């Protein structure tokens, strides 16, 4: 038997962690924007496949993924027992057979067939197995069709319809690059066409997309041998040199567009979404993306792949999580816009309310001020300006009862002088007159005429002579009897006691025609 069949050739101790893993090779090429070449991958995975066959023949059950595959002192890569644990990284978990993902338990030979196929697929396409897978020849048309046939059988989701012969898988991979890898032990390749129960392999359940699926995404990078992998000559072991990943700038928009195109390429209705404890679907990838974009499904809803049986939240699917996050950001932006609009509306309403309240207050203040002014003006008119209403103040009939009452009412409020010292006021004379006032009466002498009563008051020179300015209004009320002023009241507006006293004195010195009856006259200046 070839030395490849002896796992003991891995010289590292079980607890040692070698620096070089198959995952580091894949990540280094991905960081550079490229992929491992088919020859390089076959040179690595044929020894891995032979090693796994020997382990399963001894009854071992193991987790197989890229981070568990390491290089030994002889340069060949094999499974490292200390690293063969349940993986946590998404790309490593993608290499596990679906039944292992559900049970989280190490697998048998059929699970390892799937894992080897998954590692081969990721190496030549640059993307892990899962939603949005592309057929390898759509990524690189130079890849052989036999590679896709081999992967279609290895990547059957249902373990009952998947082959379990790792020896046949190693031989089939070796035939893809016979000059680049060490030949494995002979095996019957027909075992890849049937299960261990003798049933034909059901490629309809393969995760590899159907043959008629066409992709519109151009290859992102040309297939080329990866740096650090030296291809040995026939019969020589490959030497794996350390590879250092170099960071490259990736365009998130282009990456998302490429991922969307990959997902849309698989039209199989394989996804069921559980939301609010209800299953919705099945959907194809396009329909799932549409539901995410319309916010019908969110990152917290559970997506189940009916093809593989894998079930996890949308946020946990490497392929769907970016779209769920994108939709979540749109919801947040929309909500923020609503909140801003709500605040603006509230501020606008508050501004209108303040304007209305301010207008009402201003109107109230103006109205109150107007009423106050009117009240003050009314008081001034009532108390000072007694001549604005001629019918109430100007007694043209010389002593009518109507005129007398008006004068009495006004006199009681008058300011400016109630008569000169030593003389009686107009109001007092009016009150002391007990004679019946009747114009044109039969008894006694007739009343003085208007002309007789007004003649002595026509001259206004004594008004200015007493110091009254031109702007001052003066009302003089006189009670006349026996040709003399027996009662005088002077009302300057604005009030001025000095002016009032001077005018009072002057009026008392005037003379009228003699009449035993008391007559009354009011004059405005």
């Amino acid at each position: 038997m070839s030395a490849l069949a002896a796992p003991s050739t891995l010289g590292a101790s079980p607890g040692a962690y070698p620096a070089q893993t198959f995952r580091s090779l894949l990540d280094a090429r991905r960081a550079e924007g490229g992929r491992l070449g088919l020859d390089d991958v076959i040179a690595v995975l044929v020894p891995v496949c032979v090693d796994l066959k020997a382990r399963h023949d001894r009854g071992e059950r193991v987790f197989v993924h890229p981070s568990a595959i390491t290089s030994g002192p002889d340069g060949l890569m094999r499974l490292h027992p200390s690293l063969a644990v349940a993986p946590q990284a998404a790309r490593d978990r993608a290499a596990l057979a679906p039944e292992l993902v559900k049970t989280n338990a190490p697998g048998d030979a059929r699970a390892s067939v799937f894992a080897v196929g998954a590692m081969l697929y990721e190496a030549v396409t640059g993307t892990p197995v899962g939603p949005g897978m592309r057929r390898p020849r759509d990524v690189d048309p130079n890849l052989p069709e036999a590679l896709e046939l081999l992967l279609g059988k290895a990547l059957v989701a249902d373990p009952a319809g998947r082959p379990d012969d790792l020896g046949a898988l190693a031989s089939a991979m070796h035939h893809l690059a016979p000059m680049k890898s060490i030949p494995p032990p002979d095996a019957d390749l027909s075992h890849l066409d049937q299960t261990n129960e003798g049933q034909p392999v059901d490629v309809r359940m393969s995760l590899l997309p159907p043959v008629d699926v066409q992709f519109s995404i151009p290859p992102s990078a040309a297939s080329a041998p990866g740096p650090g992998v030296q291809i040995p000559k026939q019969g020589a072991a490959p030497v794996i040199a350390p590879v250092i990943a170099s960071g490259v700038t990736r365009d998130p928009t282009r990456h998302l567009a490429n991922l969307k195109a990959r997902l849309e390429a698989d039209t199989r209705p394989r996804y069921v979404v559980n939301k609010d404890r209800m299953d919705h679907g099945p959907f194809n990838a396009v329909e799932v993306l549409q539901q995410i974009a319309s916010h019908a499904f969110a990152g917290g809803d559970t997506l189940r792949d009916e093809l593989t049986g894998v079930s996890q939240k949308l946020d946990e699917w490497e392929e769907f999580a970016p779209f769920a996050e994108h939709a979540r950001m749109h919801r947040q932006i929309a909500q923020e816009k609503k909140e801003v609009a709500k605040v603006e509306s509230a501020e606008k309403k508050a501004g209108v309310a303040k304007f209305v309240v301010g207008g009402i207050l201003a109107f109230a203040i103006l109205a109150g001020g107007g009423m106050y002014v009117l009240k003050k003006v009314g008081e001034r008119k009532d108390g000072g300006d007694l001549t604005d209403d001629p019918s109430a103040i100007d007694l043209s009939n010389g002593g009518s009862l109507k005129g007398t009452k008006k004068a009495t009412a006004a006199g009681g409020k008058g300011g400016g002088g109630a008569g000169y010292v030593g003389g009686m006021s107009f109001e007092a004379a009016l009150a002391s007159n007990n004679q019946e006032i009747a114009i044109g009466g039969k008894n006694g002498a007739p009343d003085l005429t208007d002309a007789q009563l007004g003649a002595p008051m026509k001259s206004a020179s004594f008004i200015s002579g007493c110091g009254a300015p031109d702007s001052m209004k003066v009302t003089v009320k006189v009670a006349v009897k026996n040709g003399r002023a027996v009662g005088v009241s002077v009302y300057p507006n604005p009030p001025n006691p000095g002016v009032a006293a001077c005018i009072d004195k002057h009026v008392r010195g005037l003379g009228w025609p003699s009449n035993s009856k008391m007559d009354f006259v009011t004059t405005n200046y």
Side-chain angles (χ1 to χ4, degrees), residues 273-280 300-302 304:
V273 178
N274 185 275
K275 178 178 181 179
D276 299 330
R277 299 183 180 181
M278 293 182 62
D279 284 346
H280 304 267
D301 297 328
T302 300
R304 182 173 70 252

Side-chain angles (χ1 to χ4, degrees), residues 364-451:
I365 292 172
L366 291 175
M371 293 181 66
Y372 177 79
V373 170
L374 289 175
K375 181 178 180 181
K376 288 299 182 182
V377 170
E379 288 179 357
R380 288 175 59 187
K381 286 185 178 292
D382 288 344
D385 188 3
L386 302 179
T387 64
D388 289 346
D389 186 355
S391 65
I393 299 174
D394 188 5
L395 304 182
S396 58
N397 289 326
S400 69
L401 184 61
K402 179 178 180 181
T404 301
K405 291 183 178 179
K406 288 282 184 178
T408 302
K413 297 181 181 179
Y420 182 65
V421 177
M424 190 165 49
S425 70
F426 172 83
E427 290 78 13
L430 181 63
S432 66
N433 182 27
N434 296 322
Q435 182 182 358
E436 180 181 359
I437 301 174
I439 298 176
K442 295 181 179 180
N443 298 324
D447 295 332
L448 295 178
T449 65
D450 291 343

Side-chain angles (χ1 to χ4, degrees), residues 300-486:
D301 297 328
T302 300
L303 175 69
R304 182 173 70 252
D305 186 349
E306 294 291 278
L307 199 59
T308 64
V310 176
S311 178
Q312 51 190 3
K313 295 184 182 301
L314 278 167
D315 281 340
E316 298 172 357
W317 284 89
E318 183 180 6
E319 298 80 8
F320 293 103
F323 299 98
E325 176 63 23
H326 190 68
R328 180 162 42 244
M329 291 175 60
H330 272 278
R331 288 196 297 272
Q332 291 174 350
I333 292 173
Q335 183 61 32
E336 289 173 359
K337 287 183 178 179
K338 288 182 180 179
E339 294 297 331
V340 170
K342 187 183 297 184
V343 171
E344 290 178 348
S345 177
E347 291 178 348
K348 185 176 180 180
K349 291 180 180 179
V352 172
K354 290 178 181 178
F355 178 79
V356 172
V357 172
I360 293 174
L361 290 176
F363 178 78
I365 292 172
L366 291 175
M371 293 181 66
Y372 177 79
V373 170
L374 289 175
K375 181 178 180 181
K376 288 299 182 182
V377 170
E379 288 179 357
R380 288 175 59 187
K381 286 185 178 292
D382 288 344
D385 188 3
L386 302 179
T387 64
D388 289 346
D389 186 355
S391 65
I393 299 174
D394 188 5
L395 304 182
S396 58
N397 289 326
S400 69
L401 184 61
K402 179 178 180 181
T404 301
K405 291 183 178 179
K406 288 282 184 178
T408 302
K413 297 181 181 179
Y420 182 65
V421 177
M424 190 165 49
S425 70
F426 172 83
E427 290 78 13
L430 181 63
S432 66
N433 182 27
N434 296 322
Q435 182 182 358
E436 180 181 359
I437 301 174
I439 298 176
K442 295 181 179 180
N443 298 324
D447 295 332
L448 295 178
T449 65
D450 291 343
Q452 290 173 323
L453 288 171
M457 302 292 293
K458 285 184 177 180
S459 176
S461 59
F462 64 89
I463 299 296
S464 58
C466 288
D470 294 341
S471 59
M472 178 181 287
K473 294 181 179 181
V474 179
T475 299
V476 179
K477 294 186 176 184
V478 183
V480 179
K481 187 174 183 180
N482 296 323
R484 306 297 298 176
V486 295

